[in-house]
Amino acid sequence: MQSKNFINHTLTYFQDARHFQIAYLSSFLLLGILLLGWQQHLAQYILVISTALFTQALGAKFIAKQNISLKSAFITSLGLCLLLHTNHYYTAIIAAFVAIAGKFLIRYKGKHIFNPVNFGIVIMLIFSNDAWISPGQWGNHLIVLFAVGILGFLVLKKVNRLDASITFILVFCGLNFIRSVIYLGWTPDVFYHQISSGTLVLFTFFMITDPMTTPNHRKARIIWVSLIAIVAFIVSNYVYIFAAPIWVLFFASPLTPVFDKIFTAQKFEWNQSKSILNFK
């Protein structure tokens, strides 16, 4: 009876897609701390998470005037911990504050414009000399990258955003393969090196697929993501800007309300997410 109650409790817990996202991102942050040498940033992680939760509580109470829910802020803080690097604690604290505050202050028809993690990272990259995205923190741990991708697919299935992730992979990776292997005649190892980045994997399965900031209509999402992938391919290969997809997403985010205006569809709500663990 106890085991049955435990299973039922677990199934009920994961009905909320945010719980699955928290488990997904937390597992990789914990993996980084235990196996990849990230423990030196532990104090910074605690400050980022605390700042994000505190800012979320203030925003919900005094700006949105709604019940305080910390789940989304916790997800945002985990994303910042995984992607953003700084030399000083105050930079990380400001990034967490900006990420959450932007969600409450920059909105259109009840929907925030920017992905909070993307907003916090890019604002600090622009206005601070103390922020960067590390390309090598994941090392060459292929199993880790593979696991990030597989679990990312499970999360996206739950929030109904697999189309965005698959579109980005096909367009961005496809263009890079055509340029590197077919057009330039380089070996497939070069192509593999271009796409085997933990940052790119997290962007594909976590950032560009945010159900709250992507266009509501599937056709609009595919067009929007395709444009981001094409521009990111051009910027990374011909302008030589590192982490081009993150920059392009930032400047493409204001187009989302335009797509929502042209392609009308129901706005995503967390309680409409689909169940992964369906045993019926």
mmCIF file of all heavy atoms in Angstrom, residues 41-81:
data_model
loop_
_atom_site.group_PDB
_atom_site.id
_atom_site.type_symbol
_atom_site.label_atom_id
_atom_site.label_comp_id
_atom_site.label_asym_id
_atom_site.label_seq_id
_atom_site.Cartn_x
_atom_site.Cartn_y
_atom_site.Cartn_z
ATOM 1 N N HIS A 41 31.889 27.031 -7.460
ATOM 2 C CA HIS A 41 30.882 28.066 -7.686
ATOM 3 C C HIS A 41 29.653 27.884 -6.798
ATOM 4 O O HIS A 41 28.633 28.528 -7.033
ATOM 5 C CB HIS A 41 30.442 28.051 -9.153
ATOM 6 C CG HIS A 41 31.563 28.160 -10.134
ATOM 7 N ND1 HIS A 41 32.390 29.267 -10.206
ATOM 8 C CD2 HIS A 41 32.022 27.295 -11.075
ATOM 9 C CE1 HIS A 41 33.297 29.089 -11.159
ATOM 10 N NE2 HIS A 41 33.105 27.900 -11.694
ATOM 11 N N LEU A 42 29.747 27.008 -5.809
ATOM 12 C CA LEU A 42 28.568 26.653 -5.018
ATOM 13 C C LEU A 42 27.946 27.877 -4.344
ATOM 14 O O LEU A 42 26.720 28.038 -4.341
ATOM 15 C CB LEU A 42 28.949 25.606 -3.975
ATOM 16 C CG LEU A 42 27.802 24.987 -3.186
ATOM 17 C CD1 LEU A 42 26.786 24.347 -4.123
ATOM 18 C CD2 LEU A 42 28.335 23.950 -2.192
ATOM 19 N N ALA A 43 28.779 28.746 -3.767
ATOM 20 C CA ALA A 43 28.246 29.940 -3.094
ATOM 21 C C ALA A 43 27.517 30.842 -4.091
ATOM 22 O O ALA A 43 26.460 31.416 -3.771
ATOM 23 C CB ALA A 43 29.396 30.710 -2.426
ATOM 24 N N GLN A 44 28.062 30.940 -5.287
ATOM 25 C CA GLN A 44 27.410 31.756 -6.307
ATOM 26 C C GLN A 44 26.056 31.169 -6.695
ATOM 27 O O GLN A 44 25.087 31.907 -6.881
ATOM 28 C CB GLN A 44 28.302 31.846 -7.549
ATOM 29 C CG GLN A 44 27.710 32.683 -8.676
ATOM 30 C CD GLN A 44 28.675 32.837 -9.830
ATOM 31 O OE1 GLN A 44 29.812 33.262 -9.635
ATOM 32 N NE2 GLN A 44 28.238 32.492 -11.026
ATOM 33 N N TYR A 45 25.986 29.849 -6.809
ATOM 34 C CA TYR A 45 24.716 29.208 -7.141
ATOM 35 C C TYR A 45 23.661 29.528 -6.082
ATOM 36 O O TYR A 45 22.498 29.822 -6.400
ATOM 37 C CB TYR A 45 24.895 27.688 -7.242
ATOM 38 C CG TYR A 45 25.822 27.227 -8.338
ATOM 39 C CD1 TYR A 45 26.499 26.022 -8.237
ATOM 40 C CD2 TYR A 45 26.019 27.996 -9.487
ATOM 41 C CE1 TYR A 45 27.349 25.593 -9.250
ATOM 42 C CE2 TYR A 45 26.872 27.580 -10.493
ATOM 43 C CZ TYR A 45 27.541 26.381 -10.363
ATOM 44 O OH TYR A 45 28.392 25.959 -11.361
ATOM 45 N N ILE A 46 24.060 29.457 -4.810
ATOM 46 C CA ILE A 46 23.114 29.724 -3.714
ATOM 47 C C ILE A 46 22.613 31.173 -3.790
ATOM 48 O O ILE A 46 21.418 31.438 -3.609
ATOM 49 C CB ILE A 46 23.789 29.441 -2.355
ATOM 50 C CG1 ILE A 46 24.094 27.945 -2.224
ATOM 51 C CG2 ILE A 46 22.907 29.916 -1.205
ATOM 52 C CD1 ILE A 46 24.913 27.584 -1.005
ATOM 53 N N LEU A 47 23.511 32.101 -4.088
ATOM 54 C CA LEU A 47 23.115 33.511 -4.195
ATOM 55 C C LEU A 47 22.170 33.735 -5.373
ATOM 56 O O LEU A 47 21.191 34.495 -5.266
ATOM 57 C CB LEU A 47 24.362 34.382 -4.347
ATOM 58 C CG LEU A 47 25.238 34.527 -3.097
ATOM 59 C CD1 LEU A 47 26.532 35.245 -3.446
ATOM 60 C CD2 LEU A 47 24.485 35.297 -2.013
ATOM 61 N N VAL A 48 22.463 33.102 -6.497
ATOM 62 C CA VAL A 48 21.594 33.253 -7.680
ATOM 63 C C VAL A 48 20.196 32.722 -7.396
ATOM 64 O O VAL A 48 19.184 33.384 -7.678
ATOM 65 C CB VAL A 48 22.214 32.522 -8.889
ATOM 66 C CG1 VAL A 48 21.200 32.396 -10.027
ATOM 67 C CG2 VAL A 48 23.438 33.259 -9.379
ATOM 68 N N ILE A 49 20.127 31.536 -6.821
ATOM 69 C CA ILE A 49 18.817 30.933 -6.527
ATOM 70 C C ILE A 49 18.052 31.779 -5.507
ATOM 71 O O ILE A 49 16.857 32.060 -5.677
ATOM 72 C CB ILE A 49 19.004 29.487 -6.018
ATOM 73 C CG1 ILE A 49 19.553 28.601 -7.137
ATOM 74 C CG2 ILE A 49 17.688 28.923 -5.498
ATOM 75 C CD1 ILE A 49 19.985 27.212 -6.698
ATOM 76 N N SER A 50 18.727 32.223 -4.458
ATOM 77 C CA SER A 50 18.069 33.032 -3.419
ATOM 78 C C SER A 50 17.556 34.345 -3.992
ATOM 79 O O SER A 50 16.419 34.768 -3.700
ATOM 80 C CB SER A 50 19.050 33.307 -2.267
ATOM 81 O OG SER A 50 19.526 32.113 -1.714
ATOM 82 N N THR A 51 18.375 35.005 -4.809
ATOM 83 C CA THR A 51 17.971 36.287 -5.398
ATOM 84 C C THR A 51 16.771 36.108 -6.316
ATOM 85 O O THR A 51 15.824 36.914 -6.294
ATOM 86 C CB THR A 51 19.140 36.901 -6.193
ATOM 87 O OG1 THR A 51 20.253 37.068 -5.330
ATOM 88 C CG2 THR A 51 18.739 38.245 -6.781
ATOM 89 N N ALA A 52 16.796 35.069 -7.141
ATOM 90 C CA ALA A 52 15.685 34.831 -8.068
ATOM 91 C C ALA A 52 14.386 34.570 -7.308
ATOM 92 O O ALA A 52 13.330 35.120 -7.657
ATOM 93 C CB ALA A 52 16.018 33.653 -8.981
ATOM 94 N N LEU A 53 14.435 33.754 -6.266
ATOM 95 C CA LEU A 53 13.225 33.436 -5.500
ATOM 96 C C LEU A 53 12.699 34.681 -4.778
ATOM 97 O O LEU A 53 11.481 34.929 -4.741
ATOM 98 C CB LEU A 53 13.522 32.317 -4.505
ATOM 99 C CG LEU A 53 13.937 30.960 -5.096
ATOM 100 C CD1 LEU A 53 14.167 29.948 -3.985
ATOM 101 C CD2 LEU A 53 12.886 30.444 -6.066
ATOM 102 N N PHE A 54 13.607 35.482 -4.211
ATOM 103 C CA PHE A 54 13.192 36.693 -3.496
ATOM 104 C C PHE A 54 12.565 37.704 -4.459
ATOM 105 O O PHE A 54 11.532 38.304 -4.163
ATOM 106 C CB PHE A 54 14.400 37.309 -2.796
ATOM 107 C CG PHE A 54 14.088 38.524 -1.988
ATOM 108 C CD1 PHE A 54 13.307 38.440 -0.838
ATOM 109 C CD2 PHE A 54 14.560 39.776 -2.368
ATOM 110 C CE1 PHE A 54 12.999 39.573 -0.093
ATOM 111 C CE2 PHE A 54 14.266 40.909 -1.632
ATOM 112 C CZ PHE A 54 13.483 40.808 -0.495
ATOM 113 N N THR A 55 13.194 37.873 -5.626
ATOM 114 C CA THR A 55 12.647 38.812 -6.616
ATOM 115 C C THR A 55 11.293 38.340 -7.122
ATOM 116 O O THR A 55 10.374 39.143 -7.322
ATOM 117 C CB THR A 55 13.624 38.950 -7.805
ATOM 118 O OG1 THR A 55 14.928 39.281 -7.318
ATOM 119 C CG2 THR A 55 13.157 40.037 -8.759
ATOM 120 N N GLN A 56 11.156 37.043 -7.327
ATOM 121 C CA GLN A 56 9.865 36.485 -7.770
ATOM 122 C C GLN A 56 8.782 36.767 -6.728
ATOM 123 O O GLN A 56 7.648 37.155 -7.085
ATOM 124 C CB GLN A 56 9.999 34.974 -7.971
ATOM 125 C CG GLN A 56 8.689 34.253 -8.278
ATOM 126 C CD GLN A 56 8.192 34.468 -9.686
ATOM 127 O OE1 GLN A 56 8.992 34.804 -10.566
ATOM 128 N NE2 GLN A 56 6.903 34.293 -9.916
ATOM 129 N N ALA A 57 9.106 36.583 -5.459
ATOM 130 C CA ALA A 57 8.116 36.823 -4.400
ATOM 131 C C ALA A 57 7.693 38.290 -4.381
ATOM 132 O O ALA A 57 6.502 38.596 -4.265
ATOM 133 C CB ALA A 57 8.705 36.403 -3.049
ATOM 134 N N LEU A 58 8.660 39.196 -4.513
ATOM 135 C CA LEU A 58 8.327 40.628 -4.528
ATOM 136 C C LEU A 58 7.495 40.991 -5.755
ATOM 137 O O LEU A 58 6.498 41.728 -5.646
ATOM 138 C CB LEU A 58 9.618 41.457 -4.523
ATOM 139 C CG LEU A 58 10.452 41.447 -3.236
ATOM 140 C CD1 LEU A 58 11.705 42.297 -3.420
ATOM 141 C CD2 LEU A 58 9.627 41.950 -2.060
ATOM 142 N N GLY A 59 7.880 40.474 -6.915
ATOM 143 C CA GLY A 59 7.144 40.780 -8.140
ATOM 144 C C GLY A 59 5.723 40.261 -8.115
ATOM 145 O O GLY A 59 4.791 40.942 -8.558
ATOM 146 N N ALA A 60 5.557 39.043 -7.605
ATOM 147 C CA ALA A 60 4.216 38.457 -7.553
ATOM 148 C C ALA A 60 3.317 39.227 -6.596
ATOM 149 O O ALA A 60 2.129 39.438 -6.871
ATOM 150 C CB ALA A 60 4.316 36.987 -7.127
ATOM 151 N N LYS A 61 3.866 39.696 -5.497
ATOM 152 C CA LYS A 61 3.052 40.363 -4.478
ATOM 153 C C LYS A 61 2.753 41.817 -4.838
ATOM 154 O O LYS A 61 1.604 42.267 -4.718
ATOM 155 C CB LYS A 61 3.775 40.307 -3.128
ATOM 156 C CG LYS A 61 2.977 40.939 -1.996
ATOM 157 C CD LYS A 61 3.659 40.722 -0.660
ATOM 158 C CE LYS A 61 2.861 41.350 0.487
ATOM 159 N NZ LYS A 61 1.508 40.807 0.589
ATOM 160 N N PHE A 62 3.765 42.547 -5.329
ATOM 161 C CA PHE A 62 3.592 43.994 -5.481
ATOM 162 C C PHE A 62 3.341 44.437 -6.928
ATOM 163 O O PHE A 62 2.825 45.528 -7.147
ATOM 164 C CB PHE A 62 4.828 44.725 -4.941
ATOM 165 C CG PHE A 62 5.020 44.540 -3.468
ATOM 166 C CD1 PHE A 62 6.037 43.736 -2.983
ATOM 167 C CD2 PHE A 62 4.157 45.152 -2.561
ATOM 168 C CE1 PHE A 62 6.207 43.548 -1.610
ATOM 169 C CE2 PHE A 62 4.320 44.977 -1.191
ATOM 170 C CZ PHE A 62 5.348 44.167 -0.716
ATOM 171 N N ILE A 63 3.712 43.645 -7.921
ATOM 172 C CA ILE A 63 3.500 44.038 -9.320
ATOM 173 C C ILE A 63 2.349 43.236 -9.937
ATOM 174 O O ILE A 63 1.368 43.811 -10.412
ATOM 175 C CB ILE A 63 4.790 43.850 -10.143
ATOM 176 C CG1 ILE A 63 5.912 44.726 -9.580
ATOM 177 C CG2 ILE A 63 4.532 44.206 -11.614
ATOM 178 C CD1 ILE A 63 7.243 44.563 -10.295
ATOM 179 N N ALA A 64 2.483 41.924 -9.938
ATOM 180 C CA ALA A 64 1.426 41.090 -10.526
ATOM 181 C C ALA A 64 0.226 40.957 -9.604
ATOM 182 O O ALA A 64 -0.881 40.653 -10.066
ATOM 183 C CB ALA A 64 1.993 39.713 -10.860
ATOM 184 N N LYS A 65 0.452 41.155 -8.307
ATOM 185 C CA LYS A 65 -0.599 41.017 -7.291
ATOM 186 C C LYS A 65 -1.312 39.668 -7.445
ATOM 187 O O LYS A 65 -2.527 39.585 -7.632
ATOM 188 C CB LYS A 65 -1.595 42.184 -7.402
ATOM 189 C CG LYS A 65 -0.944 43.545 -7.172
ATOM 190 C CD LYS A 65 -1.968 44.644 -7.130
ATOM 191 C CE LYS A 65 -1.311 46.017 -6.999
ATOM 192 N NZ LYS A 65 -0.374 46.132 -5.878
ATOM 193 N N GLN A 66 -0.538 38.610 -7.403
ATOM 194 C CA GLN A 66 -1.059 37.257 -7.533
ATOM 195 C C GLN A 66 -0.429 36.389 -6.460
ATOM 196 O O GLN A 66 0.492 36.816 -5.746
ATOM 197 C CB GLN A 66 -0.719 36.699 -8.923
ATOM 198 C CG GLN A 66 0.779 36.691 -9.200
ATOM 199 C CD GLN A 66 1.131 36.280 -10.606
ATOM 200 O OE1 GLN A 66 2.211 35.789 -10.851
ATOM 201 N NE2 GLN A 66 0.239 36.502 -11.566
ATOM 202 N N ASN A 67 -0.917 35.169 -6.355
ATOM 203 C CA ASN A 67 -0.340 34.246 -5.390
ATOM 204 C C ASN A 67 1.127 33.973 -5.735
ATOM 205 O O ASN A 67 1.496 33.897 -6.913
ATOM 206 C CB ASN A 67 -1.109 32.929 -5.394
ATOM 207 C CG ASN A 67 -2.518 33.102 -4.870
ATOM 208 O OD1 ASN A 67 -2.786 33.986 -4.049
ATOM 209 N ND2 ASN A 67 -3.438 32.282 -5.368
ATOM 210 N N ILE A 68 1.928 33.858 -4.717
ATOM 211 C CA ILE A 68 3.366 33.672 -4.925
ATOM 212 C C ILE A 68 3.661 32.216 -5.262
ATOM 213 O O ILE A 68 3.383 31.315 -4.487
ATOM 214 C CB ILE A 68 4.155 34.096 -3.665
ATOM 215 C CG1 ILE A 68 3.931 35.584 -3.390
ATOM 216 C CG2 ILE A 68 5.638 33.799 -3.840
ATOM 217 C CD1 ILE A 68 4.566 36.056 -2.110
ATOM 218 N N SER A 69 4.205 31.993 -6.462
ATOM 219 C CA SER A 69 4.669 30.677 -6.877
ATOM 220 C C SER A 69 6.135 30.809 -7.276
ATOM 221 O O SER A 69 6.488 31.652 -8.106
ATOM 222 C CB SER A 69 3.855 30.158 -8.064
ATOM 223 O OG SER A 69 4.399 28.936 -8.524
ATOM 224 N N LEU A 70 6.977 30.008 -6.693
ATOM 225 C CA LEU A 70 8.415 30.148 -6.897
ATOM 226 C C LEU A 70 8.991 29.152 -7.902
ATOM 227 O O LEU A 70 10.192 29.143 -8.145
ATOM 228 C CB LEU A 70 9.131 29.991 -5.555
ATOM 229 C CG LEU A 70 8.718 30.969 -4.450
ATOM 230 C CD1 LEU A 70 9.474 30.657 -3.161
ATOM 231 C CD2 LEU A 70 8.970 32.411 -4.869
ATOM 232 N N LYS A 71 8.130 28.320 -8.484
ATOM 233 C CA LYS A 71 8.642 27.253 -9.353
ATOM 234 C C LYS A 71 9.369 27.814 -10.577
ATOM 235 O O LYS A 71 10.479 27.390 -10.906
ATOM 236 C CB LYS A 71 7.490 26.350 -9.801
ATOM 237 C CG LYS A 71 6.798 25.619 -8.673
ATOM 238 C CD LYS A 71 5.578 24.871 -9.175
ATOM 239 C CE LYS A 71 4.803 24.268 -8.026
ATOM 240 N NZ LYS A 71 3.551 23.620 -8.482
ATOM 241 N N SER A 72 8.727 28.756 -11.277
ATOM 242 C CA SER A 72 9.338 29.300 -12.494
ATOM 243 C C SER A 72 10.638 30.032 -12.182
ATOM 244 O O SER A 72 11.614 29.948 -12.944
ATOM 245 C CB SER A 72 8.359 30.248 -13.194
ATOM 246 O OG SER A 72 7.232 29.542 -13.628
ATOM 247 N N ALA A 73 10.651 30.760 -11.054
ATOM 248 C CA ALA A 73 11.870 31.474 -10.667
ATOM 249 C C ALA A 73 12.993 30.491 -10.339
ATOM 250 O O ALA A 73 14.168 30.751 -10.642
ATOM 251 C CB ALA A 73 11.592 32.370 -9.468
ATOM 252 N N PHE A 74 12.650 29.378 -9.729
ATOM 253 C CA PHE A 74 13.652 28.364 -9.424
ATOM 254 C C PHE A 74 14.240 27.788 -10.720
ATOM 255 O O PHE A 74 15.455 27.585 -10.845
ATOM 256 C CB PHE A 74 13.032 27.264 -8.568
ATOM 257 C CG PHE A 74 14.026 26.294 -7.988
ATOM 258 C CD1 PHE A 74 15.278 26.709 -7.554
ATOM 259 C CD2 PHE A 74 13.707 24.948 -7.871
ATOM 260 C CE1 PHE A 74 16.189 25.826 -7.017
ATOM 261 C CE2 PHE A 74 14.608 24.047 -7.340
ATOM 262 C CZ PHE A 74 15.856 24.479 -6.922
ATOM 263 N N ILE A 75 13.365 27.549 -11.719
ATOM 264 C CA ILE A 75 13.829 27.052 -13.019
ATOM 265 C C ILE A 75 14.777 28.064 -13.660
ATOM 266 O O ILE A 75 15.830 27.709 -14.189
ATOM 267 C CB ILE A 75 12.619 26.773 -13.935
ATOM 268 C CG1 ILE A 75 11.802 25.601 -13.382
ATOM 269 C CG2 ILE A 75 13.071 26.489 -15.367
ATOM 270 C CD1 ILE A 75 10.459 25.423 -14.054
ATOM 271 N N THR A 76 14.388 29.350 -13.598
ATOM 272 C CA THR A 76 15.237 30.401 -14.169
ATOM 273 C C THR A 76 16.598 30.434 -13.479
ATOM 274 O O THR A 76 17.648 30.537 -14.137
ATOM 275 C CB THR A 76 14.551 31.768 -14.020
ATOM 276 O OG1 THR A 76 13.336 31.765 -14.775
ATOM 277 C CG2 THR A 76 15.450 32.885 -14.523
ATOM 278 N N SER A 77 16.604 30.346 -12.173
ATOM 279 C CA SER A 77 17.871 30.411 -11.438
ATOM 280 C C SER A 77 18.764 29.217 -11.767
ATOM 281 O O SER A 77 19.986 29.360 -11.882
ATOM 282 C CB SER A 77 17.610 30.484 -9.929
ATOM 283 O OG SER A 77 16.984 29.296 -9.467
ATOM 284 N N LEU A 78 18.166 28.046 -11.956
ATOM 285 C CA LEU A 78 18.964 26.869 -12.333
ATOM 286 C C LEU A 78 19.574 27.063 -13.719
ATOM 287 O O LEU A 78 20.731 26.694 -13.962
ATOM 288 C CB LEU A 78 18.080 25.611 -12.309
ATOM 289 C CG LEU A 78 17.612 25.149 -10.932
ATOM 290 C CD1 LEU A 78 16.591 24.022 -11.075
ATOM 291 C CD2 LEU A 78 18.792 24.668 -10.094
ATOM 292 N N GLY A 79 18.798 27.653 -14.631
ATOM 293 C CA GLY A 79 19.325 27.933 -15.961
ATOM 294 C C GLY A 79 20.493 28.903 -15.914
ATOM 295 O O GLY A 79 21.495 28.726 -16.626
ATOM 296 N N LEU A 80 20.394 29.927 -15.079
ATOM 297 C CA LEU A 80 21.501 30.873 -14.932
ATOM 298 C C LEU A 80 22.732 30.183 -14.351
ATOM 299 O O LEU A 80 23.867 30.443 -14.776
ATOM 300 C CB LEU A 80 21.068 32.031 -14.030
ATOM 301 C CG LEU A 80 20.086 33.037 -14.642
ATOM 302 C CD1 LEU A 80 19.585 34.007 -13.578
ATOM 303 C CD2 LEU A 80 20.744 33.803 -15.785
ATOM 304 N N CYS A 81 22.521 29.318 -13.371
ATOM 305 C CA CYS A 81 23.654 28.599 -12.775
ATOM 306 C C CYS A 81 24.375 27.743 -13.816
ATOM 307 O O CYS A 81 25.602 27.620 -13.793
ATOM 308 C CB CYS A 81 23.172 27.706 -11.627
ATOM 309 S SG CYS A 81 22.581 28.601 -10.179
#
